[in-house]
Amino acid sequence: MKLVSRKYIVLDAIVVTVIIVLFFLLMWTTLSYKTGVQASNDDWASYEMPSERADFDLMQDSIIHLQNQVNYIKRKKEIQQANLLSSGGQGVESFGIYEYQDSTQAAKTTYLTTKDWGFIIGSDHFDATIYHSKGGKSFIRYPIITKISKHHFKYRYEDREVGFKYDLREKQILLPLQKPYQKLIANTFLWIIVIISFFVMLFGIVLFIRFLIAVSLNRIFEEYNILRLLLISLSCFLTVLFPYLVALVLYVVYNKELSVGLVFLKKFSSTDFSLIVAGIFFAVLYRAFKKGKALKEENELTV
Amino acid sequence: MPIIINLDVMLARRKMSLTELSERVGITMSNLSILKTGKAKAIRLETLESICRVLYCQPGDILEFRADQL
């Protein structure tokens, strides 16, 4: 990279940094904490059980139907016992640090929350894993299927204690942060993620605006302007990739907790797809402009 | 680049200035300067023909191939 191009790109980065600093100062003065509801004795009623029932039709008076009803009431009671209420915190789309109040424990506990992992939502089938808690401890109920004969299977459920809790309202996994240093690391990690993702996204936007300005000023084929296209493309790809990298880091750190009975729920969204297409478009544009610059130079240096 | 432009040598031999050559050939001073300093990436055959005609020389007198020494 030539010195002049480097100077222009550094200038772009400074512009973005100034915007971010101003934005965070504004945010700091207005709102920085999401405040949750206060725990009360009646709040457990707002926790809802998954409404989807078994896929097959059951007679109203059949034993299996009655058994399902009994299980439903039992599970509602278990959720009552482990009444988890959010009492504030901060976070991004799928990852955050929130405080929860447990009715079984007087003190509030800080949790690292993630929506990237979870259970298959709305499943109340015989072969689904189910989360439940008893006496402040969390369990996953695994179905164990045994083949009796060619067409007959026997279901047996087994409870395994897990190291996380599950917020049924927000549908997020809660990983406890018990020690002060864990909270510090998690908070630092969260802010690094927020700042980096914000920077990457804004850098792409600022570069695009400055590219358009340069085009309007007839500085189309300047090296720094062409380099901007490559950086816009990279910022598009990074914006898509970043949440997956965060999920990977979480999985590596909390491998023990997250590898038990959970599935990776993060879906490739239409926004991600649009950003990938935009990234490819800008990468192609970069190649085309680079070739254009070479042809222009060749033309200018032909005597 | 291994192609060397010996325009200054030919100009010295013919005792001709760059300005005079520019006027007689009909190309700008800046283009001649690009050619003389070796910055040029290509040379049109008609430019080469005009230079050779004015300087009474062959293209080989102006252009020289010298392999890169490692």
Side-chain angles (χ1 to χ4, degrees):
Chain A
M1 206 195 299
K2 279 182 188 169
L3 198 69
V4 182
S5 307
R6 202 180 294 170
K7 197 184 86 184
Y8 275 95
I9 298 301
V10 168
L11 201 74
D12 291 339
I14 291 168
V15 169
V16 177
T17 315
V18 169
I19 292 171
I20 288 174
V21 169
L22 286 175
F23 180 79
F24 275 100
L25 277 174
L26 192 76
M27 287 293 285
W28 195 262
T29 52
T30 52
L31 60 132
S32 58
Y33 284 90
K34 184 187 166 187
T35 314
V37 287
Q38 290 297 313
S40 76
N41 291 333
D42 300 328
D43 278 343
W44 66 267
S46 57
Y47 281 92
E48 283 170 17
M49 295 287 292
S51 56
E52 284 85 354
R53 304 298 303 153
D55 237 3
F56 36 82
D57 287 324
L58 290 170
M59 296 286 283
Q60 287 296 313
D61 55 350
S62 71
I63 294 169
I64 299 169
H65 180 82
L66 289 171
Q67 214 166 30
N68 274 352
Q69 290 293 326
V70 171
N71 285 342
Y72 185 81
I73 295 159
K74 265 186 188 174
R75 279 179 60 202
K76 190 142 189 171
K77 207 173 177 186
E78 282 159 8
I79 290 161
Q80 243 184 80
Q81 283 167 355
N83 179 14
L84 277 171
L85 289 168
S86 172
S87 54
Q90 52 208 328
V92 282
E93 194 191 6
S94 62
F95 166 74
I97 296 155
Y98 289 93
E99 271 192 338
Y100 276 83
Q101 188 150 19
D102 195 328
S103 64
T104 56
Q105 295 163 354
K108 284 177 185 173
T109 320
T110 311
Y111 293 97
L112 194 146
T113 65
T114 176
K115 285 179 184 172
D116 293 340
W117 278 272
F119 305 96
I120 303 162
I121 295 161
S123 64
D124 201 23
H125 303 279
F126 284 136
D127 56 348
T129 51
I130 297 163
Y131 171 85
H132 69 110
S133 54
K134 207 181 274 178
K137 286 179 179 173
S138 313
F139 297 91
I140 283 186
R141 191 166 290 169
Y142 282 94
I144 294 161
I145 307 157
T146 338
K147 198 173 178 182
I148 304 166
S149 65
K150 199 179 175 185
H151 301 293
H152 292 86
F153 297 90
K154 193 182 168 187
Y155 284 85
R156 187 166 60 83
Y157 295 98
E158 197 179 279
D159 282 346
R160 280 185 214 170
E161 198 180 335
V162 284
F164 59 83
K165 287 187 185 298
Y166 187 64
D167 183 349
L168 284 155
R169 185 187 278 169
E170 294 282 334
K171 290 187 174 60
Q172 57 190 5
I173 298 290
L174 311 173
L175 300 154
L177 299 167
Q178 281 142 351
K179 286 161 189 162
Y181 76 88
Q182 284 182 324
K183 286 180 197 171
L184 183 75
I185 293 170
N187 271 306
T188 318
F189 184 60
L190 175 75
W191 280 103
I192 287 171
I193 287 166
V194 170
I195 290 166
I196 292 178
S197 54
F198 213 65
F199 184 87
V200 168
M201 198 182 73
L202 261 183
F203 195 49
I205 295 166
V206 168
L207 283 175
F208 184 63
I209 293 166
R210 285 175 72 89
F211 173 79
L212 292 179
I213 292 168
V215 168
S216 68
L217 295 171
N218 212 14
R219 290 182 200 141
I220 309 161
F221 291 104
E222 297 294 332
E223 204 187 322
Y224 60 83
N225 208 33
I226 296 169
L227 200 67
R228 275 175 186 154
L229 289 171
L230 181 70
L231 291 171
I232 293 168
S233 158
L234 283 177
S235 82
C236 286
F237 290 130
L238 268 176
T239 310
V240 177
L241 205 69
F242 204 67
Y244 290 93
L245 287 176
V246 172
L248 183 74
V249 170
L250 275 183
Y251 189 74
V252 170
V253 176
Y254 288 99
N255 185 30
K256 203 178 144 192
E257 284 87 353
L258 295 173
S259 58
V260 183
L262 296 176
V263 286
F264 189 63
L265 290 176
K266 194 167 170 57
K267 296 278 184 298
F268 195 75
S269 70
S270 57
T271 319
D272 290 348
F273 181 74
S274 315
L275 278 169
I276 292 272
V277 170
I280 293 168
F281 175 74
F282 279 109
V284 170
L285 219 59
Y286 165 73
R287 293 286 297 173
F289 271 69
K290 213 176 166 188
K291 185 75 187 162
K293 187 182 175 264
L295 287 170
K296 187 178 168 269
E297 262 178 14
E298 206 173 283
N299 188 44
E300 276 171 358
L301 294 171
T302 299
V303 182
Chain B
M1 206 155 82
I3 300 286
I4 308 234
I5 314 279
N6 288 322
L7 191 68
D8 45 354
V9 179
M10 282 313 292
L11 281 170
R13 273 189 199 163
R14 301 284 183 262
K15 293 186 177 71
M16 198 185 281
S17 70
L18 204 66
T19 323
E20 194 188 339
L21 181 73
S22 144
E23 279 165 7
R24 288 178 67 177
V25 173
I27 51 174
T28 58
M29 276 291 285
S30 60
N31 271 348
L32 264 186
S33 179
I34 288 168
L35 192 64
K36 206 182 135 201
T37 49
K39 281 181 190 167
K41 291 213 169 179
I43 180 163
R44 283 191 199 94
L45 287 177
E46 69 185 84
T47 315
L48 192 63
E49 184 195 321
S50 314
I51 293 170
C52 289
R53 191 172 298 221
V54 172
L55 293 174
Y56 303 108
C57 65
Q58 291 297 314
D61 296 330
I62 299 166
L63 303 172
E64 183 191 340
F65 173 75
R66 211 180 284 169
D68 285 331
Q69 285 181 345
L70 292 170

